[in-house]
Amino acid sequence: MRVLNLLLSLALLASAQIIHAEILPEAQVGIKIPLTKKPTTRPMTVAYIPTLKRYYIADGGLAPMGGEGEVPYSKSEIHSYDETGKYINSSRPGYDNRSLYYNPNTAKLETVTYNISSDVGFSPNSGIFSIDLTESGDLKHTSNDVFGFNPAFGDSATIPSYNPETNQYYAKQERGNKVWVVETKSREKISEIALDLKTAGAEHHDISDHFIGYSGIKGQELVLLDVDHKAALIFDLNGKYMGRSELPKDLKLRSQNHFNGTGYANDMLFVYHEPEGEFGTYYGFKVLKNN
């Protein structure tokens, strides 16, 4: 019996380490979030907190400004929506948001700002910050410091994705196929991933310039939006191309989709569809299906 139990334990351990996912040939719409409030600038990205069943959409593009004797403050807002896509509230914590994500290690909603690396010179209110919420998940106007500027993130406009298992960020670099792996404790990148765009049938000007999503699925961790071919390209952490999921061909993507309006949250790739609705609509696409 002890031997049998040991064998069963080993079998369960082995199966737990093999995580398979099916790349859906055609992406499935998981949710549509029509923007109820006009974005303060450009809709930048999307986060999701599973325990609160809330989506959060961050605007970005307004640099922190302040008059004499005033603290520099960005007018870019963050907006919350429920699990059905219904608008809840907005806040203005004061940051030029680029990345927004839920960190299960700290149980906080966190934002990475424009120019976290100081690539274009030092700017105020740059770094990683946690956004305060009420117990029910409504946004507050207050926040707290997490980390200051860090040159390891590279390009000033990068929209890094967060891996909570390794506490690392994947920071896509512009005009190319490079993704820098970053740990906040280091001032230099930990490693660099070169995406095999050639095998994927794409070039750097076809794809999202600043963003790559982290799926959390072993062997299919990185999800990249191919704007020009309307597809999600899947790569592993070595940059190997694993497959693609086609987005609806009637989706009217614009040049700005190369630079913002993306995100990966709640196991979905988010894409901003500006022509739909009064202020545009975020589509959440399922491109990977766990077996």
Side-chain angles (χ1 to χ4, degrees), residues 262-274:
T262 54
Y264 199 94
N266 198 19
D267 299 325
M268 290 182 283
L269 173 67
F270 279 85
V271 180
Y272 178 59
H273 191 223
E274 189 169 8

Side-chain angles (χ1 to χ4, degrees), residues 50-68:
T51 53
L52 299 174
K53 297 183 178 180
R54 290 281 183 94
Y55 290 97
Y56 299 89
I57 296 176
D59 297 340
L62 287 175
M65 302 290 289
E68 186 175 350

Side-chain angles (χ1 to χ4, degrees), residues 50-105:
T51 53
L52 299 174
K53 297 183 178 180
R54 290 281 183 94
Y55 290 97
Y56 299 89
I57 296 176
D59 297 340
L62 287 175
M65 302 290 289
E68 186 175 350
E70 295 179 347
V71 176
Y73 185 87
S74 171
K75 294 183 179 180
S76 291
E77 294 184 343
I78 300 175
H79 317 276
S80 67
Y81 291 77
D82 70 13
E83 60 181 334
T84 68
K86 180 182 176 182
Y87 173 75
I88 303 297
N89 80 318
S90 301
S91 74
R92 187 176 292 172
Y95 305 112
D96 184 356
N97 308 290
R98 282 303 181 266
S99 177
L100 188 71
Y101 58 93
Y102 174 65
N103 187 341
N105 297 315

Side-chain angles (χ1 to χ4, degrees), residues 10-291:
L10 291 173
L12 287 171
L13 178 61
S15 64
Q17 292 174 334
I18 301 173
I19 302 175
H20 295 287
E22 174 190 356
I23 298 177
L24 298 174
E26 295 184 355
Q28 300 173 356
V29 178
I31 190 172
K32 291 169 65 175
I33 305 178
L35 300 192
T36 304
K37 188 175 182 180
K38 185 178 180 179
T40 37
T41 43
R42 294 294 303 178
M44 197 59 60
T45 192
V46 181
Y48 180 74
I49 300 183
T51 53
L52 299 174
K53 297 183 178 180
R54 290 281 183 94
Y55 290 97
Y56 299 89
I57 296 176
D59 297 340
L62 287 175
M65 302 290 289
E68 186 175 350
E70 295 179 347
V71 176
Y73 185 87
S74 171
K75 294 183 179 180
S76 291
E77 294 184 343
I78 300 175
H79 317 276
S80 67
Y81 291 77
D82 70 13
E83 60 181 334
T84 68
K86 180 182 176 182
Y87 173 75
I88 303 297
N89 80 318
S90 301
S91 74
R92 187 176 292 172
Y95 305 112
D96 184 356
N97 308 290
R98 282 303 181 266
S99 177
L100 188 71
Y101 58 93
Y102 174 65
N103 187 341
N105 297 315
T106 61
K108 297 288 187 180
L109 182 68
E110 297 179 354
T111 181
V112 179
T113 70
Y114 174 74
N115 199 33
I116 182 175
S117 62
S118 292
D119 182 47
V120 293
F122 176 77
S123 55
N125 275 10
S126 298
I128 303 175
F129 303 88
S130 63
I131 307 301
D132 292 337
L133 306 171
T134 67
E135 288 187 6
S136 62
D138 290 2
L139 289 157
K140 293 176 150 183
H141 293 286
T142 54
S143 61
N144 290 282
D145 294 350
V146 177
F147 290 102
F149 77 93
N150 187 334
F153 282 90
D155 291 335
S156 60
T158 188
I159 305 174
S161 289
Y162 178 66
N163 180 345
E165 297 175 3
T166 61
N167 202 31
Q168 294 177 331
Y169 295 84
Y170 304 110
K172 170 130 183 356
Q173 304 300 292
E174 62 188 13
R175 294 191 295 274
N177 69 332
K178 299 297 193 297
V179 177
W180 288 9
V181 182
V182 180
E183 293 181 0
T184 51
K185 63 184 178 182
S186 175
R187 308 296 284 179
E188 297 182 358
K189 62 186 177 185
I190 300 301
S191 61
E192 180 179 278
I193 302 169
L195 304 173
D196 186 1
L197 295 181
K198 183 177 180 180
T199 302
E203 298 184 50
H204 73 84
H205 51 75
D206 298 326
I207 62 176
S208 176
D209 208 28
H210 306 302
F211 173 79
I212 193 163
Y214 174 71
S215 72
I217 297 175
K218 186 176 181 180
Q220 298 164 327
E221 290 92 348
L222 302 178
V223 182
L224 178 68
L225 175 63
D226 184 337
V227 178
D228 290 6
H229 298 110
K230 297 179 183 177
L233 309 179
I234 315 300
F235 300 85
D236 69 8
L237 288 178
N238 295 313
K240 181 181 178 181
Y241 173 65
M242 305 303 294
R244 67 195 295 120
S245 182
E246 302 289 343
L247 303 182
K249 294 308 178 187
D250 59 353
L251 205 64
K252 294 180 175 65
L253 301 184
R254 297 179 173 174
S255 60
Q256 288 294 337
N257 286 102
H258 287 91
F259 309 111
N260 46 51
T262 54
Y264 199 94
N266 198 19
D267 299 325
M268 290 182 283
L269 173 67
F270 279 85
V271 180
Y272 178 59
H273 191 223
E274 189 169 8
E276 185 172 340
E278 185 178 4
F279 304 120
T281 297
Y282 258 107
Y283 276 74
F285 290 108
K286 295 181 181 293
V287 298
L288 294 166
K289 181 181 180 182
N290 288 325
N291 291 333

